[in-house]
Amino acid sequence: MTFEQLVCRAYMERINLGERGFYATPGVDFNRETGKGHPFLYYTNGVAASEVLIDRFTGEMKVVRVDLLMDAGKCINPGIDRGQVTGGFIQGMGWVTTEELKYAESGELLSHSPTTYKIPNISDVPDVFNIAFLDNPDNVVSLKGSKALGEPPLLLGIFVVDSGEARDFFCGCGCGAGI
């Protein structure tokens, strides 16, 4: 019997060829009621600083410089880590600067895909974009000492609108309150 025949037979006999599983990370023992314990196996930390120019007449914003420092644990492949940090940060920057939720009168979400709102692209990467990794060979709880770097830098994109001038501009009053 060929693989194709086997799959067809399983389909005809309503036999599920898929499976699902769940993984319980060892050492994670957080009690939601008491707020005590360890909710994660490890933490990925980072810091960012952004230089942002805003034309106060047109509202055009340009991020001219970003400096990032990430605790990557022990890098297995620095090139991949750099790509993950860049992608996550630029996605987060787009989230807080160009993405906008728009709804119809009926409540239907109109900006539901990249065809209906502007996602960041290569031209949104600042001319000066520095990434450095904190050397942390002491991380022993994850695979070969590395840390996840795809999602954590996304939240560092908030630094773009939290810069002083951007905060004042978006507040509309020059006081920086409200953001």
Side-chain angles (χ1 to χ4, degrees), residues 12-158:
M12 296 304 288
E13 294 181 20
R14 306 290 193 259
I15 298 172
N16 184 0
L17 295 180
E19 192 51 70
R20 126 183 8 200
F22 297 93
Y23 176 75
T25 305
V28 175
D29 59 351
F30 185 72
N31 184 323
R32 291 180 188 270
E33 292 175 13
T34 64
K36 297 191 184 298
H38 301 281
F40 305 103
L41 182 60
Y42 64 87
Y43 295 89
T44 302
N45 299 300
V47 65
S50 305
E51 183 179 340
V52 180
L53 297 177
I54 297 177
D55 184 322
R56 290 183 179 257
F57 294 110
T58 66
E60 180 183 2
M61 182 181 88
K62 179 160 178 66
V63 181
V64 294
R65 179 184 177 127
V66 170
D67 293 286
L68 292 162
L69 176 64
M70 294 295 302
D71 175 5
K74 184 177 178 185
C75 291
I76 295 174
N77 185 325
I80 290 176
D81 290 346
R82 184 172 302 281
Q84 290 292 299
V85 170
T86 302
F89 182 86
I90 297 300
Q91 182 181 356
M93 186 177 79
W95 173 51
V96 296
T97 60
T98 62
E99 296 181 29
E100 180 181 1
L101 297 177
K102 293 188 178 185
Y103 295 91
E105 290 287 326
S106 64
E108 175 189 6
L109 179 63
L110 299 174
S111 54
H112 57 80
S113 76
T115 62
T116 57
Y117 64 86
K118 183 190 179 302
I119 61 172
N121 61 49
I122 192 68
S123 66
D124 294 313
V125 176
D127 292 336
V128 179
F129 193 80
N130 298 311
I131 299 173
F133 295 108
L134 181 66
D135 185 31
N136 182 4
D138 298 329
N139 180 40
V140 295
V141 297
S142 56
L143 181 67
K144 297 194 181 246
S146 67
K147 291 187 174 185
L149 292 173
E151 290 82 11
L154 183 136
L155 294 178
L156 293 177
I158 293 170

